[in-house]
Amino acid sequence: MLKRWIFLITGLFVMGLPCVWGQTAEEIIGSAIEKTGGTAKWKALNGFRIKAKFDQGGIEFPLEIVQLKDGKQYTKLNFQGVEIKQGVYDGHILWSTDFHTQDPKKADSETINNVKLDANDFPDDLIAYKSKGYKVSLDGMEDFRGKTVYKVKLVKEPLTINGSKTDDVVFY
């Protein structure tokens, strides 16, 4: 009987070690934020611009993404000399360029409301996630480009898709 108790207690202790001494999702997020400048510097950002190029079938396309603190944003790509804007949001209306007609097309109210939710997360979903009521969890480890990394799950405010509330889950 004593051996069973010792085995049970030892087993519980060993299974509990990762929980006691392992990193939590909160610690991983905090460390990542600090290593990239800290919360104060992230919150001080007024906007950012990303310039890139992507290759599609051997053709290179320039791309520019701009996002501002007040929620305004756009994505612009150049397709064989034609400038196409997608996801242009002025804080009230969201529109994109129709690829066939090249005319601006206004988004429906459901899509606009989802973009407004996303704009609340500037400059990043993980900055002040607790105060927004988001939930995080550590979903283990996985291989990313030959390195073992933590997999963190973030559950944000639900989005509305086709009239139904849907969990907005992001993995890092």
Side-chain angles (χ1 to χ4, degrees):
M1 181 74 172
L2 181 62
K3 287 182 182 180
R4 283 189 209 160
W5 278 107
I6 292 172
F7 178 76
L8 178 63
I9 291 170
T10 304
L12 290 172
F13 179 75
V14 169
M15 289 188 317
L17 281 177
C19 297
V20 174
W21 288 306
Q23 282 193 294
T24 65
E26 292 83 3
E27 290 170 333
I28 293 165
I29 292 166
S31 175
I33 290 170
E34 286 309 308
K35 287 179 181 180
T36 57
T39 303
K41 285 188 178 180
W42 276 100
K43 286 183 175 183
L45 287 174
N46 291 317
F48 60 83
R49 173 183 293 154
I50 300 170
K51 287 188 171 193
K53 294 178 184 176
F54 68 95
D55 185 303
Q56 184 67 35
I59 302 172
E60 201 172 79
F61 299 98
L63 172 72
E64 179 181 64
I65 300 169
V66 173
Q67 189 170 4
L68 303 177
K69 191 174 205 166
D70 63 4
K72 295 175 184 172
Q73 61 186 356
Y74 71 83
T75 301
K76 177 174 62 175
L77 64 107
N78 191 305
F79 182 73
Q80 298 178 338
V82 177
E83 189 176 275
I84 299 171
K85 291 185 180 174
Q86 298 296 95
V88 178
Y89 181 61
D90 67 1
H92 305 289
I93 298 171
L94 174 71
W95 62 273
S96 295
T97 302
D98 184 294
F99 282 103
H100 298 292
T101 64
Q102 296 301 304
D103 292 330
K105 181 179 178 186
K106 182 180 171 185
D108 59 46
S109 61
E110 185 176 275
T111 303
I112 293 170
N113 288 333
N114 288 336
V115 168
K116 284 180 183 178
L117 281 177
D118 192 49
N120 291 334
D121 290 331
F122 182 88
D124 188 86
D125 299 342
L126 295 174
I127 304 296
Y129 69 91
K130 285 181 187 178
S131 66
K132 299 174 198 170
Y134 297 175
K135 305 290 182 221
V136 296
S137 62
L138 181 56
D139 275 16
M141 310 282 280
E142 64 180 51
D143 182 71
F144 180 74
R145 298 182 181 169
K147 296 197 181 233
T148 302
V149 296
Y150 294 106
K151 182 177 181 182
V152 176
K153 177 181 177 181
L154 174 70
V155 180
K156 301 169 41 170
E157 292 177 73
L159 298 173
T160 304
I161 300 174
N162 296 326
S164 298
K165 292 286 184 187
T166 305
D167 284 343
D168 187 4
V169 178
V170 181
F171 290 94
Y172 292 87

